[in-house]
Amino acid sequence: MHFPNHSDCEKYQQFLSTVQASPVGGRRSVVGGLMKTKPKVLGLLVWTLIAGTEYFRVPAFGWVMFVAVFYWVLTVFFLIIYLTMTYTRIPQVPWTTVGLWFNGSAFALYLSAAIVDASSVSPERDSHNFNSWAASSFFAFLVTICYAGNTYFSFIAWRSRTIQ
């Protein structure tokens, strides 16, 4: 059995700092890094909490599921593009603009989905559905905050790129 030593921890921290410096967002900071990793985990929580219930009985949850799954898949797609460094092989794509549009649209649609999610939660006899829907609503607002932060960092990167 291999136990992590100090060298392994340093390598992991170095990897995390590399991943956090996304070409789509452009900021190397702890806050920026957290804003980039949190939507993946929290977005997964949003749609799995809803998918584990009888969400089809409330039509509004269809919109929440669409937004959550769509942006989760796109976020994972952009992560794969970043990890494989595909963005360096496609310099024609204005990645800062793509990042700004992606994060801005994710913020706007997740905000609407979070509001729909919160307004659709109502107590019922099955407390499992209520608890899952309430938790998904909470996490949807957290994802919205993360995408708002990403939009800010993307705007700063886009603005500094267009000024040059």
Side-chain angles (χ1 to χ4, degrees):
M1 177 177 250
H2 174 71
F3 293 102
N5 58 25
H6 184 67
S7 174
D8 291 337
C9 292
E10 286 178 356
K11 288 177 188 174
Y12 180 70
Q13 288 295 335
Q14 188 177 24
F15 171 75
L16 282 181
S17 67
T18 304
V19 171
Q20 291 169 356
S22 168
V24 179
R27 286 280 186 213
R28 272 188 190 237
S29 69
V30 173
V31 174
L34 288 175
M35 291 291 183
K36 292 192 184 323
T37 56
K38 294 291 185 206
K40 292 171 205 59
V41 175
L42 297 175
L44 179 67
L45 280 172
V46 169
W47 67 265
T48 54
L49 282 167
I50 293 175
T53 66
E54 297 173 357
Y55 68 92
F56 48 85
R57 293 188 312 170
V58 181
F61 285 127
W63 170 249
V64 178
M65 285 291 289
F66 169 75
V67 170
V69 172
F70 180 74
Y71 279 105
W72 186 81
V73 168
L74 279 180
T75 302
V76 170
F77 173 73
F78 282 125
L79 176 67
I80 291 168
I81 285 178
Y82 175 71
L83 291 176
T84 60
M85 296 183 65
T86 304
Y87 64 91
T88 60
R89 292 182 228 134
I90 313 172
Q92 302 86 354
V93 175
W95 289 108
T96 52
T97 306
V98 170
L100 179 60
W101 279 100
F102 170 74
N103 289 316
S105 67
F107 165 67
L109 292 181
Y110 243 110
L111 180 62
S112 71
I115 291 169
V116 166
D117 195 1
S119 64
S120 298
V121 174
S122 63
E124 56 179 43
R125 290 182 184 174
D126 184 11
S127 66
H128 170 71
N129 284 350
F130 174 75
N131 291 337
S132 295
W133 293 341
S136 73
S137 176
F138 172 75
F139 287 120
F141 279 105
L142 288 181
V143 174
T144 303
I145 292 168
C146 290
Y147 277 122
N150 282 346
T151 303
Y152 171 76
F153 289 129
S154 295
F155 177 74
I156 298 295
W158 174 79
R159 189 169 172 196
S160 67
R161 183 95 188 223
T162 57
I163 291 175
Q164 295 175 354

